[in-house]
Amino acid sequence: MISDGNDDDDTVTSGKLLPRQDESDNAAVLMDDLIRHVDNEGAFQNAFNNLFNFFAVIVGVMSVYSLVLAMKVPNHWCHVPGRDNTNLTLTEWKNYTLPRDKDNREMFAYSKCLMYNVTIPLVVPYNKRDLGVVNCQYGWEYDRRWFHKTVPSQENWVCDKSLYVTNTFVVTQIGEAVGTIFFGHMSDTVGRRPVFLITLALLIVGRGLSVLTPSYYWLYLVTVFLGHSALSSLCFAATTIGIELSQSEHRAYIVMLQSLGWTSGMCLIPLLAWLTADWTEFVLLPLLPASCIFICSCSLFIESPRWLASRGKISRCLATLRHIADNNKLELPDSAENTLRRVAEQSRGKVLGPSSFLSSTRLATNTALLVTCWMLNCVSYVILLLNVNNMSGNPFLNFFWQSAVELPAGFVAKWLSDRVGRRSTQTFTFLVIAASSFCVSRIVNNPNLHEVTTTTIIFVKFCVTITNFVCYLQAMEIFPTCLRQTGMSVANVAGNAGGVLAPYVVYLGSHINQKYPYIVLCAMALLGTAVSSFLPETLNKKLPDNIKDAKYFGRNEKYWSFCKKSSEGESYTNFR
């Protein structure tokens, strides 16, 4: 057992800690009962989740992650003028004009950045040993089998500018880190609704301007930063409200619904890119439905009643609950206002921001464990996502299958987390990721095992999706209402801080050796196995509403145990 050393506020009876406050007066129980009166499974909640936790997520994901394929670097080589005046095939021309060197598969291939120092017009045959080797003198040619145009092929971000692509992805991680910490804290202080509206507008503007600015690299990075600063906070705001309007056994369903929206958006990206083959088109098209959702959200996206009550905004909370009840054809009980005042009285206090996570040893410990797991999951996901451009074969199918596998992974994650518990699911899945990534590192450079390698990589993505799902759910359930989105933002910032290194890990794989990203994945998964085993089990536990609730969450749990089926009414007292 881990004690936080703060036992003075409790009464010890028969070796067990008992709360001084009666359970019927607990803010979480009071709020749960009130939300049940307006039907926490009603038509309003279903409509809200379908629109904002599913369709809005699809559109947001398509708008943001279309950048991955837009930044695809096609196979390229030095352009040497003169082949049109000969009857040589492209392969024969390359043989006369390009040297060979080892690629990232440890195989000899035509150089992408060097050419023989030939005289134009070229007269063949000639002795190549008499010629020196120089950098590309006349630009580059690109393999246009899959794309007519991408950002790197349009702007020639290759060879001495190859880090332009890597640095662009680094900026996406920095943008997401800055956006989530800023908008996350804003969500807990100003409200979930304004954050959703601001981030959706920022996503539309940032991604739209990116199409106009790639010729001005630094300005292009600014637009990329703006677009990526919005998505996580947009999703967090919608999911937070969805969970705060639901009963405990439906929290995993809401996370799964958003996971389905995320997967659907990721699967649509390669299909749209395949149809258009032009980065400007498949980046701009998702912005049309995004604009429509923004218009709808101005009137349909409500503020969280739990947040309003915790901030003492009784009138607005009552109005919101009546709005939900009316849509569900129900009525609020006469005691609703008194109940909200009791909730506000228990929850009142200043939101201190990230420093509040250090207010007790238990909360600090849970936060540190969650943040570490979130960071490992985030970095693993980004490495796999970006590394899809380095895989051989059809880039659209590679992207699609790595995205489509998230769909069954979401169902499996929900089933496992609801049956065997959140902690057990994440810990054992991390262990499977480590073993699978190690296997990939051993076979990835063998062209004869291409299909086995691709299948194993897809399986790794399947497992990473499960750990992502569970970690996201644990964060929703461990952080208290007054700091829930701030806590998730802190975790996401840590994830993005680690994610800054992910593009460079992928760069090692694309320019030095393909096995390096999978060695890194294996090491991170082993660390995740150890760290996640210390997290408290959250299955069927009441959501903590304030710092005091969070202080006791998971306090007296054993280091490792399989969870038991809990009754619907189980609350914080079970941890004390």
mmCIF file of all heavy atoms in Angstrom, residues 520-555:
data_model
loop_
_atom_site.group_PDB
_atom_site.id
_atom_site.type_symbol
_atom_site.label_atom_id
_atom_site.label_comp_id
_atom_site.label_asym_id
_atom_site.label_seq_id
_atom_site.Cartn_x
_atom_site.Cartn_y
_atom_site.Cartn_z
ATOM 1 N N VAL A 520 13.298 1.535 -30.546
ATOM 2 C CA VAL A 520 12.808 2.561 -29.613
ATOM 3 C C VAL A 520 11.425 2.179 -29.085
ATOM 4 O O VAL A 520 11.146 2.314 -27.885
ATOM 5 C CB VAL A 520 12.774 3.932 -30.304
ATOM 6 C CG1 VAL A 520 12.107 4.972 -29.401
ATOM 7 C CG2 VAL A 520 14.179 4.392 -30.674
ATOM 8 N N LEU A 521 10.550 1.699 -29.956
ATOM 9 C CA LEU A 521 9.212 1.280 -29.529
ATOM 10 C C LEU A 521 9.287 0.167 -28.491
ATOM 11 O O LEU A 521 8.533 0.164 -27.512
ATOM 12 C CB LEU A 521 8.398 0.809 -30.744
ATOM 13 C CG LEU A 521 7.829 1.887 -31.668
ATOM 14 C CD1 LEU A 521 7.217 1.231 -32.908
ATOM 15 C CD2 LEU A 521 6.779 2.715 -30.950
ATOM 16 N N CYS A 522 10.172 -0.780 -28.706
ATOM 17 C CA CYS A 522 10.326 -1.889 -27.762
ATOM 18 C C CYS A 522 10.742 -1.385 -26.384
ATOM 19 O O CYS A 522 10.165 -1.787 -25.365
ATOM 20 C CB CYS A 522 11.358 -2.881 -28.307
ATOM 21 S SG CYS A 522 11.698 -4.269 -27.206
ATOM 22 N N ALA A 523 11.716 -0.488 -26.348
ATOM 23 C CA ALA A 523 12.197 0.036 -25.062
ATOM 24 C C ALA A 523 11.108 0.803 -24.333
ATOM 25 O O ALA A 523 10.918 0.660 -23.115
ATOM 26 C CB ALA A 523 13.419 0.930 -25.299
ATOM 27 N N MET A 524 10.350 1.621 -25.058
ATOM 28 C CA MET A 524 9.278 2.401 -24.423
ATOM 29 C C MET A 524 8.172 1.506 -23.899
ATOM 30 O O MET A 524 7.591 1.764 -22.837
ATOM 31 C CB MET A 524 8.717 3.424 -25.415
ATOM 32 C CG MET A 524 9.671 4.540 -25.766
ATOM 33 S SD MET A 524 8.844 5.899 -26.627
ATOM 34 C CE MET A 524 8.179 5.025 -28.047
ATOM 35 N N ALA A 525 7.855 0.443 -24.629
ATOM 36 C CA ALA A 525 6.798 -0.468 -24.188
ATOM 37 C C ALA A 525 7.188 -1.192 -22.908
ATOM 38 O O ALA A 525 6.342 -1.438 -22.037
ATOM 39 C CB ALA A 525 6.473 -1.466 -25.295
ATOM 40 N N LEU A 526 8.454 -1.547 -22.772
ATOM 41 C CA LEU A 526 8.911 -2.189 -21.538
ATOM 42 C C LEU A 526 8.771 -1.232 -20.349
ATOM 43 O O LEU A 526 8.352 -1.636 -19.258
ATOM 44 C CB LEU A 526 10.369 -2.646 -21.679
ATOM 45 C CG LEU A 526 10.618 -3.834 -22.616
ATOM 46 C CD1 LEU A 526 12.110 -4.089 -22.777
ATOM 47 C CD2 LEU A 526 9.922 -5.087 -22.096
ATOM 48 N N LEU A 527 9.108 0.030 -20.576
ATOM 49 C CA LEU A 527 8.924 1.022 -19.520
ATOM 50 C C LEU A 527 7.447 1.184 -19.185
ATOM 51 O O LEU A 527 7.064 1.269 -18.010
ATOM 52 C CB LEU A 527 9.523 2.360 -19.951
ATOM 53 C CG LEU A 527 9.369 3.527 -18.970
ATOM 54 C CD1 LEU A 527 10.021 3.205 -17.629
ATOM 55 C CD2 LEU A 527 9.980 4.802 -19.568
ATOM 56 N N GLY A 528 6.587 1.198 -20.207
ATOM 57 C CA GLY A 528 5.149 1.315 -19.989
ATOM 58 C C GLY A 528 4.585 0.147 -19.198
ATOM 59 O O GLY A 528 3.669 0.320 -18.383
ATOM 60 N N THR A 529 5.113 -1.043 -19.428
ATOM 61 C CA THR A 529 4.668 -2.222 -18.677
ATOM 62 C C THR A 529 4.882 -2.025 -17.184
ATOM 63 O O THR A 529 4.004 -2.320 -16.365
ATOM 64 C CB THR A 529 5.428 -3.468 -19.144
ATOM 65 O OG1 THR A 529 5.222 -3.662 -20.551
ATOM 66 C CG2 THR A 529 4.962 -4.707 -18.394
ATOM 67 N N ALA A 530 6.056 -1.510 -16.828
ATOM 68 C CA ALA A 530 6.368 -1.314 -15.404
ATOM 69 C C ALA A 530 5.529 -0.187 -14.799
ATOM 70 O O ALA A 530 4.926 -0.348 -13.734
ATOM 71 C CB ALA A 530 7.856 -1.012 -15.244
ATOM 72 N N VAL A 531 5.462 0.954 -15.489
ATOM 73 C CA VAL A 531 4.794 2.127 -14.920
ATOM 74 C C VAL A 531 3.291 1.912 -14.772
ATOM 75 O O VAL A 531 2.693 2.231 -13.733
ATOM 76 C CB VAL A 531 5.069 3.368 -15.796
ATOM 77 C CG1 VAL A 531 4.230 4.561 -15.333
ATOM 78 C CG2 VAL A 531 6.549 3.720 -15.764
ATOM 79 N N SER A 532 2.647 1.354 -15.792
ATOM 80 C CA SER A 532 1.192 1.201 -15.767
ATOM 81 C C SER A 532 0.728 0.246 -14.679
ATOM 82 O O SER A 532 -0.417 0.321 -14.215
ATOM 83 C CB SER A 532 0.684 0.722 -17.130
ATOM 84 O OG SER A 532 1.233 -0.543 -17.470
ATOM 85 N N SER A 533 1.592 -0.651 -14.227
ATOM 86 C CA SER A 533 1.196 -1.611 -13.197
ATOM 87 C C SER A 533 0.982 -0.951 -11.837
ATOM 88 O O SER A 533 0.366 -1.536 -10.947
ATOM 89 C CB SER A 533 2.251 -2.718 -13.065
ATOM 90 O OG SER A 533 3.477 -2.197 -12.567
ATOM 91 N N PHE A 534 1.474 0.275 -11.659
ATOM 92 C CA PHE A 534 1.314 0.981 -10.386
ATOM 93 C C PHE A 534 0.061 1.849 -10.339
ATOM 94 O O PHE A 534 -0.273 2.395 -9.280
ATOM 95 C CB PHE A 534 2.538 1.865 -10.119
ATOM 96 C CG PHE A 534 3.766 1.100 -9.732
ATOM 97 C CD1 PHE A 534 4.704 0.731 -10.692
ATOM 98 C CD2 PHE A 534 3.992 0.738 -8.417
ATOM 99 C CE1 PHE A 534 5.843 0.019 -10.349
ATOM 100 C CE2 PHE A 534 5.136 0.022 -8.054
ATOM 101 C CZ PHE A 534 6.054 -0.337 -9.026
ATOM 102 N N LEU A 535 -0.639 2.007 -11.460
ATOM 103 C CA LEU A 535 -1.840 2.843 -11.480
ATOM 104 C C LEU A 535 -2.980 2.176 -10.708
ATOM 105 O O LEU A 535 -3.090 0.943 -10.700
ATOM 106 C CB LEU A 535 -2.287 3.098 -12.919
ATOM 107 C CG LEU A 535 -1.567 4.217 -13.666
ATOM 108 C CD1 LEU A 535 -1.886 4.154 -15.154
ATOM 109 C CD2 LEU A 535 -1.940 5.582 -13.099
ATOM 110 N N PRO A 536 -3.870 2.953 -10.078
ATOM 111 C CA PRO A 536 -5.029 2.350 -9.405
ATOM 112 C C PRO A 536 -6.059 1.875 -10.417
ATOM 113 O O PRO A 536 -6.145 2.401 -11.525
ATOM 114 C CB PRO A 536 -5.577 3.512 -8.565
ATOM 115 C CG PRO A 536 -5.155 4.734 -9.298
ATOM 116 C CD PRO A 536 -3.815 4.410 -9.887
ATOM 117 N N GLU A 537 -6.822 0.866 -10.051
ATOM 118 C CA GLU A 537 -7.911 0.390 -10.897
ATOM 119 C C GLU A 537 -9.088 1.373 -10.800
ATOM 120 O O GLU A 537 -9.430 1.839 -9.715
ATOM 121 C CB GLU A 537 -8.358 -1.004 -10.455
ATOM 122 C CG GLU A 537 -9.453 -1.596 -11.316
ATOM 123 C CD GLU A 537 -9.066 -1.606 -12.785
ATOM 124 O OE1 GLU A 537 -8.128 -2.333 -13.142
ATOM 125 O OE2 GLU A 537 -9.707 -0.863 -13.564
ATOM 126 N N THR A 538 -9.699 1.704 -11.946
ATOM 127 C CA THR A 538 -10.785 2.690 -11.966
ATOM 128 C C THR A 538 -12.113 2.117 -12.432
ATOM 129 O O THR A 538 -13.097 2.855 -12.526
ATOM 130 C CB THR A 538 -10.408 3.870 -12.885
ATOM 131 O OG1 THR A 538 -10.204 3.381 -14.219
ATOM 132 C CG2 THR A 538 -9.153 4.564 -12.401
ATOM 133 N N LEU A 539 -12.142 0.831 -12.728
ATOM 134 C CA LEU A 539 -13.366 0.228 -13.251
ATOM 135 C C LEU A 539 -14.513 0.365 -12.243
ATOM 136 O O LEU A 539 -14.400 -0.016 -11.080
ATOM 137 C CB LEU A 539 -13.128 -1.250 -13.565
ATOM 138 C CG LEU A 539 -14.339 -2.050 -14.059
ATOM 139 C CD1 LEU A 539 -14.883 -1.464 -15.359
ATOM 140 C CD2 LEU A 539 -13.958 -3.512 -14.254
ATOM 141 N N ASN A 540 -15.639 0.952 -12.688
ATOM 142 C CA ASN A 540 -16.861 1.108 -11.898
ATOM 143 C C ASN A 540 -16.698 2.000 -10.662
ATOM 144 O O ASN A 540 -17.495 1.910 -9.726
ATOM 145 C CB ASN A 540 -17.409 -0.258 -11.451
ATOM 146 C CG ASN A 540 -17.896 -1.078 -12.623
ATOM 147 O OD1 ASN A 540 -18.450 -0.527 -13.573
ATOM 148 N ND2 ASN A 540 -17.688 -2.383 -12.565
ATOM 149 N N LYS A 541 -15.692 2.858 -10.665
ATOM 150 C CA LYS A 541 -15.511 3.771 -9.541
ATOM 151 C C LYS A 541 -16.160 5.121 -9.856
ATOM 152 O O LYS A 541 -16.216 5.540 -11.001
ATOM 153 C CB LYS A 541 -14.022 3.980 -9.231
ATOM 154 C CG LYS A 541 -13.233 2.687 -9.075
ATOM 155 C CD LYS A 541 -13.802 1.778 -8.010
ATOM 156 C CE LYS A 541 -12.996 0.495 -7.889
ATOM 157 N NZ LYS A 541 -13.590 -0.455 -6.939
ATOM 158 N N LYS A 542 -16.612 5.799 -8.809
ATOM 159 C CA LYS A 542 -17.208 7.114 -8.968
ATOM 160 C C LYS A 542 -16.154 8.122 -9.430
ATOM 161 O O LYS A 542 -15.016 8.080 -9.005
ATOM 162 C CB LYS A 542 -17.813 7.597 -7.646
ATOM 163 C CG LYS A 542 -19.050 6.819 -7.209
ATOM 164 C CD LYS A 542 -20.237 7.174 -8.076
ATOM 165 C CE LYS A 542 -21.507 6.489 -7.555
ATOM 166 N NZ LYS A 542 -22.666 6.786 -8.404
ATOM 167 N N LEU A 543 -16.568 9.057 -10.280
ATOM 168 C CA LEU A 543 -15.658 10.100 -10.707
ATOM 169 C C LEU A 543 -15.358 11.034 -9.537
ATOM 170 O O LEU A 543 -16.283 11.521 -8.887
ATOM 171 C CB LEU A 543 -16.266 10.919 -11.857
ATOM 172 C CG LEU A 543 -16.477 10.214 -13.192
ATOM 173 C CD1 LEU A 543 -17.127 11.179 -14.172
ATOM 174 C CD2 LEU A 543 -15.186 9.691 -13.751
ATOM 175 N N PRO A 544 -14.108 11.317 -9.246
ATOM 176 C CA PRO A 544 -13.798 12.302 -8.204
ATOM 177 C C PRO A 544 -14.170 13.701 -8.680
ATOM 178 O O PRO A 544 -13.847 14.087 -9.797
ATOM 179 C CB PRO A 544 -12.282 12.156 -8.022
ATOM 180 C CG PRO A 544 -11.786 11.601 -9.310
ATOM 181 C CD PRO A 544 -12.889 10.729 -9.841
ATOM 182 N N ASP A 545 -14.852 14.462 -7.835
ATOM 183 C CA ASP A 545 -15.304 15.786 -8.221
ATOM 184 C C ASP A 545 -14.395 16.898 -7.731
ATOM 185 O O ASP A 545 -14.430 18.005 -8.258
ATOM 186 C CB ASP A 545 -16.731 16.037 -7.691
ATOM 187 C CG ASP A 545 -17.789 15.648 -8.714
ATOM 188 O OD1 ASP A 545 -17.400 15.364 -9.857
ATOM 189 O OD2 ASP A 545 -18.975 15.626 -8.364
ATOM 190 N N ASN A 546 -13.596 16.640 -6.692
ATOM 191 C CA ASN A 546 -12.767 17.699 -6.146
ATOM 192 C C ASN A 546 -11.440 17.124 -5.664
ATOM 193 O O ASN A 546 -11.203 15.915 -5.734
ATOM 194 C CB ASN A 546 -13.503 18.427 -5.008
ATOM 195 C CG ASN A 546 -14.086 17.442 -4.004
ATOM 196 O OD1 ASN A 546 -13.380 16.566 -3.503
ATOM 197 N ND2 ASN A 546 -15.377 17.562 -3.708
ATOM 198 N N ILE A 547 -10.584 18.018 -5.165
ATOM 199 C CA ILE A 547 -9.255 17.605 -4.721
ATOM 200 C C ILE A 547 -9.350 16.600 -3.579
ATOM 201 O O ILE A 547 -8.564 15.646 -3.493
ATOM 202 C CB ILE A 547 -8.437 18.831 -4.278
ATOM 203 C CG1 ILE A 547 -8.220 19.780 -5.456
ATOM 204 C CG2 ILE A 547 -7.094 18.401 -3.698
ATOM 205 C CD1 ILE A 547 -7.367 19.220 -6.549
ATOM 206 N N LYS A 548 -10.316 16.783 -2.693
ATOM 207 C CA LYS A 548 -10.458 15.880 -1.555
ATOM 208 C C LYS A 548 -10.770 14.457 -2.016
ATOM 209 O O LYS A 548 -10.228 13.480 -1.488
ATOM 210 C CB LYS A 548 -11.554 16.387 -0.624
ATOM 211 C CG LYS A 548 -11.688 15.559 0.653
ATOM 212 C CD LYS A 548 -12.701 16.175 1.589
ATOM 213 C CE LYS A 548 -12.804 15.357 2.876
ATOM 214 N NZ LYS A 548 -13.796 15.947 3.809
ATOM 215 N N ASP A 549 -11.670 14.335 -3.012
ATOM 216 C CA ASP A 549 -11.968 13.005 -3.555
ATOM 217 C C ASP A 549 -10.712 12.374 -4.169
ATOM 218 O O ASP A 549 -10.431 11.192 -3.971
ATOM 219 C CB ASP A 549 -13.054 13.101 -4.624
ATOM 220 C CG ASP A 549 -14.395 13.536 -4.061
ATOM 221 O OD1 ASP A 549 -14.636 13.304 -2.860
ATOM 222 O OD2 ASP A 549 -15.185 14.124 -4.809
ATOM 223 N N ALA A 550 -9.979 13.187 -4.933
ATOM 224 C CA ALA A 550 -8.789 12.672 -5.618
ATOM 225 C C ALA A 550 -7.706 12.256 -4.632
ATOM 226 O O ALA A 550 -6.886 11.383 -4.921
ATOM 227 C CB ALA A 550 -8.243 13.727 -6.570
ATOM 228 N N LYS A 551 -7.720 12.879 -3.454
ATOM 229 C CA LYS A 551 -6.719 12.576 -2.431
ATOM 230 C C LYS A 551 -6.784 11.117 -1.991
ATOM 231 O O LYS A 551 -5.771 10.511 -1.639
ATOM 232 C CB LYS A 551 -6.941 13.497 -1.236
ATOM 233 C CG LYS A 551 -6.171 13.132 0.020
ATOM 234 C CD LYS A 551 -6.559 14.063 1.166
ATOM 235 C CE LYS A 551 -5.929 13.623 2.472
ATOM 236 N NZ LYS A 551 -6.316 14.489 3.600
ATOM 237 N N TYR A 552 -7.990 10.529 -2.022
ATOM 238 C CA TYR A 552 -8.181 9.163 -1.545
ATOM 239 C C TYR A 552 -8.222 8.128 -2.662
ATOM 240 O O TYR A 552 -8.259 6.937 -2.395
ATOM 241 C CB TYR A 552 -9.484 9.070 -0.744
ATOM 242 C CG TYR A 552 -9.473 9.897 0.520
ATOM 243 C CD1 TYR A 552 -10.184 11.085 0.587
ATOM 244 C CD2 TYR A 552 -8.763 9.483 1.635
ATOM 245 C CE1 TYR A 552 -10.185 11.852 1.738
ATOM 246 C CE2 TYR A 552 -8.756 10.237 2.794
ATOM 247 C CZ TYR A 552 -9.466 11.419 2.840
ATOM 248 O OH TYR A 552 -9.456 12.169 3.980
ATOM 249 N N PHE A 553 -8.249 8.584 -3.909
ATOM 250 C CA PHE A 553 -8.497 7.665 -5.014
ATOM 251 C C PHE A 553 -7.350 6.668 -5.161
ATOM 252 O O PHE A 553 -6.219 7.038 -5.471
ATOM 253 C CB PHE A 553 -8.678 8.447 -6.319
ATOM 254 C CG PHE A 553 -9.437 7.682 -7.363
ATOM 255 C CD1 PHE A 553 -10.817 7.719 -7.408
ATOM 256 C CD2 PHE A 553 -8.769 6.908 -8.300
ATOM 257 C CE1 PHE A 553 -11.520 7.015 -8.372
ATOM 258 C CE2 PHE A 553 -9.466 6.204 -9.262
ATOM 259 C CZ PHE A 553 -10.844 6.261 -9.290
ATOM 260 N N GLY A 554 -7.649 5.389 -4.975
ATOM 261 C CA GLY A 554 -6.653 4.331 -5.108
ATOM 262 C C GLY A 554 -5.690 4.226 -3.958
ATOM 263 O O GLY A 554 -4.672 3.535 -4.041
ATOM 264 N N ARG A 555 -6.039 4.844 -2.823
ATOM 265 C CA ARG A 555 -5.081 4.971 -1.729
ATOM 266 C C ARG A 555 -4.685 3.637 -1.102
ATOM 267 O O ARG A 555 -3.515 3.387 -0.840
ATOM 268 C CB ARG A 555 -5.687 5.889 -0.667
ATOM 269 C CG ARG A 555 -4.795 6.137 0.527
ATOM 270 C CD ARG A 555 -5.455 7.156 1.432
ATOM 271 N NE ARG A 555 -4.670 7.412 2.618
ATOM 272 C CZ ARG A 555 -4.979 8.337 3.506
ATOM 273 N NH1 ARG A 555 -6.059 9.069 3.317
ATOM 274 N NH2 ARG A 555 -4.238 8.517 4.571
#
